[in-house]
Amino acid sequence: MLRIPPPVLALSAGALQALLSRHRHSSHGSRVSAGLLVPVCLALDISSLRAFRRRQTTINPLKLDSVSELVTDSANALTRNPMYLSLAGLLLAHALWRRSALALLPAAGFVLLLDKVQIPAEEAALEKAFGQRYFQYQRQVPRWVSPRTIQRLLSR
């Protein structure tokens, strides 16, 4: 499990993106592309945060032992990690805005770190806390996103 909160990691990745693309400038097209992605990311995040708040369970990924509810609705019905997907999407939007392929590297590193370190620790804690209920959720909802998820989002 990571000891640095994922939002702090995302901010660090965003700063690295800015550094790597400091000589790049946005265009009308890059601003439009990023501008279309940002509201989707924010909606995912807000939807999930509200669902966690309604169930009065923790959103703090550093306190996995204090999880009290398995949240499977709202954005969590589309992806098991909507908050992380939102952060990754915002990093993608930042790279698009800056028109920099090099700025995609910190975004990819962020996703890889979460996927290989943070998410497995969270999944182990959820498996321990919720057992078969969590296994069923895992089978029904992708860790990140799937073509089916994208289709469901676009049909709303």
Side-chain angles (χ1 to χ4, degrees):
M1 177 177 72
L2 299 171
R3 296 288 175 210
I4 301 169
V8 173
L9 289 174
L11 284 173
S12 300
L16 183 55
Q17 285 180 312
L19 182 65
L20 290 172
S21 61
R22 66 184 171 275
H23 300 295
R24 303 289 302 185
H25 300 286
S26 66
S27 67
H28 175 72
S30 70
R31 290 188 299 272
V32 168
S33 297
L36 291 172
L37 187 54
V38 168
V40 173
C41 294
L42 294 177
L44 263 177
D45 198 41
I46 291 167
S47 172
S48 185
L49 288 169
R50 284 182 176 166
F52 274 67
R53 177 173 277 169
R54 273 193 310 273
R55 286 176 189 68
Q56 299 177 343
T57 192
T58 185
I59 62 165
N60 187 343
L62 303 181
K63 296 187 177 191
L64 298 177
D65 56 337
S66 60
V67 66
S68 61
E69 289 287 329
L70 181 61
V71 179
T72 61
D73 63 338
S74 195
N76 293 76
L78 302 171
T79 171
R80 294 195 314 264
N81 296 286
M83 291 178 236
Y84 296 158
L85 183 59
S86 174
L87 291 172
L90 292 172
L91 289 170
L92 175 60
H94 189 224
L96 288 170
W97 180 280
R98 299 184 80 84
R99 295 185 321 127
S100 173
L102 200 53
L104 291 172
L105 292 176
F110 173 77
V111 170
L112 190 63
L113 190 59
L114 289 180
D115 194 62
K116 300 300 179 195
V117 180
Q118 183 63 37
I119 293 172
E122 292 179 13
E123 288 178 339
L126 292 170
E127 289 169 7
K128 183 178 177 185
F130 302 107
Q132 191 59 36
R133 202 167 141 226
Y134 183 70
F135 291 129
Q136 182 176 354
Y137 176 60
Q138 276 185 309
R139 285 191 299 274
Q140 292 174 339
V141 178
R143 178 184 269 187
W144 287 101
V145 70
S146 70
R148 184 174 140 244
T149 303
I150 294 169
Q151 182 181 16
R152 287 174 64 190
L153 279 172
L154 294 175
S155 67
R156 288 182 171 205

